[in-house]
Amino acid sequence: MLTIDPTQSLLLVIDMQNRLLPAIHQGEQIVRNLERLIQSARTLGIPIVYTEQYPRGLGATTPALAACDGEVVLEQMTFDAVKTGQLLALAGDRRQWVIGGCESHVCVLQTVLGLKAAGKKVYLVSDATGSRKPHDREAAIARLTHHHTEIVTTEMVIFEWLGSAEHPRFRDLLQPLK
């Protein structure tokens, strides 16, 4: 399947933490796009997993994106969240990983490469991913493209999850995009 299937998807939100976000280029836009993805995933029953890199130093996930009951937050010290040993087990039989977060060239990049090495299908949401410097983000996207990661946008993901204007939640998810 070439489109993102909501029954096969998992949303992974990487290191969107309070102390890190003020330094991220266009951080407010990235938070807004991740809010849309998180709300859409919750509405459609798509599992969401969060990672937090060294939360004692970088703080928790920003409140606008904070996990709800039943959503998992993995604390990590490794840059590749796959190395924690817990991440892959959380996906169950879901094969498609939709990913946003920061920093693009560190934890996002290394986690995506770890997922690719584990044989997973990965969709990097380019407008929901950031770094302190735009060049680092661009280099990460170029490298991940070279490694056959699909680069998508927030709207692409949401519309592929919906699949049709006839979806019963279409109007609910369309409103925040306007």
Side-chain angles (χ1 to χ4, degrees):
M1 171 173 274
L2 296 178
T3 58
I4 305 170
D5 180 345
T7 68
Q8 293 300 314
S9 296
L10 176 137
L11 176 61
L12 178 59
V13 179
I14 297 178
D15 303 349
M16 293 298 292
Q17 294 162 260
N18 278 331
R19 292 190 192 130
L20 182 58
L21 282 177
I24 300 299
H25 180 70
Q26 297 182 334
E28 291 177 12
Q29 177 184 349
I30 294 163
V31 169
R32 279 193 308 275
N33 287 330
L34 278 168
E35 282 179 301
R36 291 176 183 121
L37 286 168
I38 290 166
Q39 184 57 44
S40 296
R42 287 176 181 156
T43 298
L44 297 172
I46 295 166
I48 305 169
V49 175
Y50 300 79
T51 65
E52 293 178 348
Q53 175 70 32
Y54 183 54
R56 285 186 308 230
L58 295 175
T61 298
T62 190
L65 305 176
C68 288
D69 291 340
E71 296 171 350
V72 177
V73 178
L74 292 177
E75 294 182 10
Q76 64 186 41
M77 292 297 287
T78 61
F79 301 126
D80 174 359
V82 175
K83 289 184 178 179
T84 66
Q86 301 169 302
L87 188 60
L88 293 174
L90 292 171
D93 62 351
R94 294 189 178 247
R95 300 181 313 244
Q96 297 178 341
W97 293 72
V98 176
I99 298 178
C102 58
E103 282 196 72
S104 305
H105 65 293
V106 184
C107 293
V108 173
L109 174 93
Q110 290 188 36
T111 299
V112 169
L113 292 175
L115 289 167
K116 297 292 291 178
K120 303 303 177 187
K121 180 73 175 169
V122 180
Y123 299 87
L124 180 71
V125 187
S126 62
D127 61 353
T129 306
S131 292
R132 287 168 286 147
K133 299 174 188 170
H135 176 74
D136 286 331
R137 179 183 164 278
E138 293 162 12
I141 290 173
R143 183 171 177 200
L144 291 172
T145 300
H146 176 76
H147 288 285
H148 308 291
T149 300
E150 293 214 29
I151 309 302
V152 296
T153 66
T154 298
E155 286 197 20
M156 290 168 74
V157 172
I158 293 169
F159 281 100
E160 287 181 36
W161 279 345
L162 287 168
S164 168
E166 295 175 327
H167 192 285
R169 301 309 299 263
F170 176 75
R171 290 199 188 278
D172 298 332
L173 297 186
L174 183 63
Q175 193 61 34
L177 295 175
K178 290 184 176 182

